[in-house]
Amino acid sequence: MKDNLNYSGHLTKIKSKGLEKTGWFQPDQGLPFRIRARALPTVFRNLIIEGLYTTESVFIINRYRLLAPISELLPSHFASGHPIAFQRMSPHLDDNIRTLIECPELLDLWTAGDKQAFVLLKNSLIEQYTVPNLSNYLLRFELSRKMLHEICDTLGFSAIDRIEGQPYLLNRVPSVPFRVADMLALEAGIAANSPSRIGAAVQYVYMQYLNGGSSYISGDEFVNRVYALLGKSLPKDNIRLEIERFAQEQDHELICRGNLFFDRHLYFAEIQIAQRLADLISCPVSKPGDLSGTIRILSGAGRLPELDEDQHEGIERFFEHPVLLVRGEAGTGKSSWIAYLLIVLQTLLPGIHIKLAAPTGKAARQLEAVTGHPAQTIHSLLGKGREKTSRIWYHHKRNPLNADVLIIDEASMVNEYLWRDLLWSVERGTRLVFVGDPNQLEPIGPGRPFLDMISLGFPTVTLQRNYRNDSAILSLARAVLLGEVDASHLEVAGIQTIPTESVEETKETIVRLYLDKVKQYPVITMYREQYSLGTDRLNEYMKQRINPVRMADGMGEGDPVIQMTNTSRADNGEVGLIRSFHPSRSSCILFEPDKEVHYTFPELMSEMELAYAITTAKTQGSQYEGVIIPLTDIGLEIPHRQSMWYKNSIYTALTRARKELVLIGDPYILITGAQRKGTPRKTMLVKRIQRVFKGSGILPGENENALPKG
């Protein structure tokens, strides 16, 4: 900032105070003075600091630069552990770290062929320089620590320096609101009608579309979203021209068809799904001669229960169709049906190769517990690594899975990319079964293939009998689906409703109930950032009230955390507890069941988040003895923002609880939300499938008039 003061010197007597760091600064010339900052380096003490004085004569640091040689960046074992990298760096060890920050390509040069050395030095710079500086520089925007790490992942360890010169680089990070970069840019003197601002808004809308679940965006919607972002002060024709220019740039991989814009990967994924379905379904199947007799014998021997009509139909239809969909609400015994099918298969076809998988680790473990058959996550099944390389998989047409039957549980959570990968991971002749609850939230990621295939009339069995009829929670969930909730549904055993008058009272009540339930009931919310009851702010608040250790580091010993990406160590969505926490060494996370995983501090910050509160989407595939759900009008804080509590989101949150449900806030939000549907996703998968299958007679009611518009 142009009015900042700056001093060269060193930090002294630094302490953590809540979410801030406080202490003293001894300048090279003059007397020491008090300082305050959101974050400071933990290793380096010699700095150039920039900022302003408060009226209480405390210097607020909003930026600092390291005054240390590159040698101080290296851990003690670096020379022996990475001798080649150390030798390349030797002539530069006395150079200021600033040299490396200004020329980040030097790190690639010095550590070429030694990825471990590269990661070690990069993470050290991020933790000592980039993240603390971003915390101070962007403090007023209240970005979460997770968002700061996403900025570093995208822009590198020189992120703070890059965005000072080009604020709109922040638009490359989908979770950072456009207003952050826009405000910084306008303060830097970038004109409101400048091409760079229009281009930045176009890029931001495109990134939001990629993360919004739809497979395309119409030209008119594209223009209107950019128009709204820019304050409606620019001609739409200018915006349309900028969008067309943007689409022509090859690196954005945007395909334009008429008035529709598609991400290139999604465009072809939908075509590949349709083509592979046609290939798999054309494969002939055979049915055992006395299937019903076998089921009767197994039931008589006590190996199977007396199957209800839908369960029996499901097993019959499995043998009639290469691809089968099985749907059912919570409590209808979907996992049990899979177990019954396995018993029949292993009796009729000894030695058959069966694979089970689910989208999350917890869902896979639950499936394994019910069926007694090994189950794994879909990413593990396909041989995928981190989600950043999710477009690359290791089982495909030329390297198929060794499976006669592949059964996917929680299939409503599977997005188009994974659906495509699953279809191409098996040989023709492999039987595929997708089991799920279509009433849950749509997948994290693009599309909704499970629902699309059901709507098209692919072979589907619906399990209707509820085996938990005594559950007040499931009765409420059913009423939500019917849009017929009233106060009487909330006045029953197992459901506790606690009215509150404000967001602050809701937060206080959440903390009290969380402690009353011995920290065993997670808080489930539909919101993430930029709202007091979103997971980012609510987790920070709950930590400060419940476990205020190491607040400045974001998390500490005793905090519940959730894995946010698939890795070789843990699966996306796994919840654990920090058993030990060491910023300078590895930290230990205890996952269920009795699995300990060690993380470096940078790994912990980039892969884990606090889990006092969890988004509804992240809880899919999991169940808990009880859950706490805050119901407060988001419009109290963010005017004109529509509630995200609607039929499917409410149903998903409610059905995470086995025995007890705690609703805090305004129950009217639940009652009215049950009458609303969420914004439908826009995909072309239905149209792609209809075109591929046209004239085949496989899909019911085939006619061109049924094709979606556009």
Side-chain angles (χ1 to χ4, degrees):
M1 297 182 183
K2 60 183 179 180
D3 295 328
N4 278 352
L5 301 173
N6 64 80
Y7 297 92
S8 173
H10 62 271
L11 303 170
T12 63
K13 302 178 182 178
I14 302 299
K15 297 180 180 179
S16 294
K17 186 177 181 181
L19 295 174
E20 293 183 325
K21 300 281 190 178
T22 62
W24 291 80
F25 189 80
Q26 175 61 64
D28 293 337
Q29 296 180 350
L31 298 174
F33 51 84
R34 288 188 296 162
I35 58 165
R36 191 165 76 229
R38 182 62 181 264
L40 290 170
T42 56
V43 175
F44 300 98
R45 285 295 177 261
N46 294 324
L47 311 173
I48 296 174
I49 60 172
E50 300 176 15
L52 296 169
Y53 284 101
T54 66
T55 53
E56 295 84 16
S57 298
V58 176
F59 191 84
I60 306 298
I61 299 174
N62 57 44
R63 183 78 163 84
Y64 67 79
R65 304 180 194 279
L66 300 175
L67 289 177
I70 290 173
S71 60
E72 292 188 18
L73 189 66
L74 309 183
S76 57
H77 62 275
F78 188 84
S80 58
H82 309 277
I84 296 176
F86 183 76
Q87 184 179 9
R88 292 175 185 150
M89 297 176 68
S90 293
H92 306 277
L93 291 179
D94 292 331
D95 294 350
N96 192 284
I97 290 175
R98 187 75 196 161
T99 303
L100 188 53
I101 293 169
E102 291 175 348
C103 302
E105 63 274 9
L106 287 174
L107 186 58
D108 298 293
L109 182 65
W110 295 339
T111 60
D114 189 344
K115 184 177 179 181
Q116 190 177 12
F118 174 84
V119 171
L120 186 68
L121 296 179
K122 182 194 76 170
N123 286 342
S124 181
L125 276 169
I126 285 174
E127 291 306 321
Q128 296 299 318
Y129 177 75
T130 319
V131 168
N133 261 317
L134 289 171
S135 297
N136 298 325
Y137 186 66
L138 302 175
L139 177 62
R140 56 185 157 148
F141 301 109
E142 299 183 310
L143 303 184
S144 68
R145 194 175 183 91
K146 175 71 174 176
M147 293 162 76
L148 299 181
H149 276 275
E150 288 172 355
I151 294 172
C152 295
D153 286 344
T154 304
L155 301 179
F157 56 78
S158 58
I160 177 66
D161 303 81
R162 296 179 68 188
I163 64 175
E164 277 185 320
Q166 302 178 65
Y168 286 120
L169 287 174
L170 284 170
N171 286 340
R172 297 182 184 178
V173 186
S175 62
V176 177
F178 179 77
R179 64 177 178 82
V180 176
D182 203 36
M183 190 175 297
L184 293 173
L186 294 175
E187 289 174 355
I190 296 176
N193 61 350
S194 70
S196 63
R197 183 169 184 252
I198 301 173
V202 169
Q203 184 182 50
Y204 180 81
V205 169
Y206 173 65
M207 293 294 291
Q208 294 304 303
Y209 140 68
L210 285 181
N211 290 277
S214 294
S215 64
Y216 68 87
I217 183 171
S218 71
D220 292 340
E221 183 182 359
F222 208 151
V223 169
N224 289 334
R225 285 197 193 180
V226 174
Y227 186 66
L229 271 184
L230 297 176
K232 303 179 181 180
S233 59
L234 296 169
K236 288 189 176 182
D237 287 344
N238 290 13
I239 294 172
R240 193 176 298 274
L241 288 172
E242 184 62 29
I243 290 173
E244 292 173 358
R245 183 200 62 76
F246 180 82
Q248 290 171 0
E249 295 180 4
Q250 289 299 314
D251 59 336
H252 296 300
E253 299 185 322
L254 198 62
I255 291 177
C256 182
R257 292 289 183 269
N259 191 42
L260 303 181
F261 293 89
F262 297 85
D263 171 71
R264 182 180 301 275
H265 298 278
L266 266 176
Y267 180 84
F268 288 110
E270 291 185 336
I271 292 173
Q272 290 163 347
I273 288 172
Q275 291 173 338
R276 189 58 175 168
L277 277 173
D279 196 26
L280 294 172
I281 285 178
S282 66
C283 192
V285 295
S286 60
K287 184 177 179 180
D290 191 19
L291 178 59
S292 295
T294 301
I295 292 175
R296 282 196 301 273
I297 292 171
L298 289 171
S299 295
R303 294 185 61 196
L304 280 180
E306 191 69 34
L307 301 183
D308 67 37
E309 184 178 340
D310 298 328
Q311 292 171 336
H312 195 287
E313 180 194 0
I315 293 176
E316 292 268 359
R317 297 195 72 183
F318 166 83
F319 289 98
E320 297 170 355
H321 302 285
V323 178
L324 179 67
L325 309 174
V326 179
R327 60 183 290 178
E329 296 174 11
T332 54
K334 296 183 291 297
S335 297
S336 297
W337 178 84
I338 295 173
Y340 305 153
L341 175 63
L342 295 187
I343 292 170
V344 173
L345 286 172
Q346 290 162 344
T347 301
L348 289 172
L349 304 167
I352 188 172
H353 291 286
I354 303 170
K355 289 194 179 293
L356 307 183
T360 68
K362 196 160 187 177
R365 289 194 299 273
Q366 174 67 17
L367 181 60
E368 186 170 318
V370 172
T371 64
H373 191 281
Q376 58 195 126
T377 65
I378 295 173
H379 277 77
S380 176
L381 173 80
L382 297 176
K384 285 176 174 286
R386 290 178 64 98
E387 289 183 345
K388 288 181 181 178
T389 58
S390 65
R391 290 168 179 163
I392 301 172
W393 72 105
Y394 300 106
H395 289 290
H396 45 80
K397 189 174 182 179
R398 296 180 181 177
N399 181 33
L401 289 166
N402 179 25
D404 301 307
V405 178
L406 175 59
I407 301 174
I408 303 298
D409 197 14
E410 300 287 357
S412 63
M413 296 172 59
V414 181
N415 64 40
E416 287 185 345
Y417 285 135
L418 280 182
W419 200 276
R420 181 271 314 273
D421 294 355
L422 286 166
L423 295 182
W424 285 89
S425 72
V426 298
E427 292 185 289
R428 292 181 75 249
T430 300
R431 305 281 183 97
L432 285 169
V433 184
F434 295 96
V435 182
D437 184 348
N439 300 302
Q440 288 195 31
L441 282 176
E442 293 168 325
I444 297 175
R448 44 172 222 167
F450 185 65
L451 275 73
D452 284 343
M453 286 183 62
I454 290 174
S455 71
L456 281 167
F458 278 87
T460 303
V461 173
T462 302
L463 303 178
Q464 300 180 73
R465 180 178 173 183
N466 198 303
Y467 287 85
R468 288 187 274 161
N469 281 325
D470 59 340
S471 170
I473 296 171
L474 290 184
S475 296
L476 173 59
R478 181 62 183 161
V480 166
L481 293 179
L482 296 173
E484 298 175 354
V485 180
D486 57 42
S488 65
H489 289 98
L490 308 179
E491 298 169 354
V492 293
I495 300 177
Q496 184 180 3
T497 305
I498 304 174
T500 57
E501 298 293 331
S502 66
V503 171
E504 282 304 314
E505 186 184 357
T506 300
K507 288 159 59 179
E508 290 284 341
T509 308
I510 287 171
V511 170
R512 176 172 59 81
L513 265 295
Y514 185 83
L515 292 172
D516 285 350
K517 302 302 179 182
V518 202
K519 305 179 183 179
Q520 296 300 306
Y521 289 15
V523 180
I524 299 180
T525 175
M526 272 301 293
Y527 306 100
R528 187 162 173 75
E529 58 272 318
Q530 308 304 314
Y531 176 47
S532 292
L533 295 177
T535 53
D536 284 352
R537 293 191 190 177
L538 187 55
N539 270 315
E540 194 172 88
Y541 174 84
M542 292 181 70
K543 173 174 174 54
Q544 191 168 20
R545 294 292 308 279
I546 296 167
N547 186 38
V549 299
R550 307 199 75 97
M551 282 299 299
D553 293 316
M555 56 184 71
E557 187 173 324
D559 284 327
V561 288
I562 184 169
Q563 179 80 25
M564 299 304 292
T565 59
N566 284 300
T567 69
S568 58
R569 293 186 296 268
D571 296 314
N572 190 348
E574 281 196 77
V575 175
L577 188 74
I578 299 180
R579 172 169 282 185
S580 62
F581 180 87
H582 302 286
S584 59
R585 305 195 304 275
S586 66
S587 299
C588 178
I589 311 293
L590 177 63
F591 292 102
E592 297 178 357
D594 300 325
K595 180 177 80 172
E596 287 189 351
V597 180
H598 291 268
Y599 292 78
T600 65
F601 186 65
E603 288 170 342
L604 195 66
M605 292 296 105
S606 63
E607 296 177 14
M608 308 294 289
E609 288 186 4
L610 290 173
Y612 294 98
I614 309 173
T615 61
T616 311
K618 280 293 183 184
T619 64
Q620 290 193 98
S622 300
Q623 272 202 310
Y624 311 89
E625 287 302 293
V627 300
I628 299 169
I629 302 176
L631 298 168
T632 303
D633 183 10
I634 191 173
L636 296 175
E637 277 193 14
I638 309 176
H640 313 302
R641 174 75 182 272
Q642 189 177 31
S643 172
M644 291 179 67
W645 288 116
Y646 54 90
K647 193 182 297 290
N648 297 87
S649 62
I650 295 170
Y651 170 85
T652 304
L654 297 180
T655 53
R656 299 311 92 199
R658 291 193 187 94
K659 295 182 179 179
E660 187 174 6
L661 182 65
V662 182
L663 305 174
I664 302 174
D666 182 2
Y668 186 71
I669 290 175
L670 187 150
I671 294 171
T672 57
Q675 299 168 11
R676 294 191 301 110
K677 293 183 179 180
T679 303
R681 292 186 172 185
K682 299 173 183 176
T683 81
M684 281 290 171
L685 183 58
V686 167
K687 187 171 184 177
R688 307 289 185 216
I689 292 174
Q690 286 177 321
R691 284 184 172 168
V692 169
F693 280 77
K694 185 178 180 181
S696 66
I698 294 174
L699 300 181
E702 289 179 13
N703 66 81
E704 191 66 27
N705 293 330
L707 296 182
K709 303 293 183 182

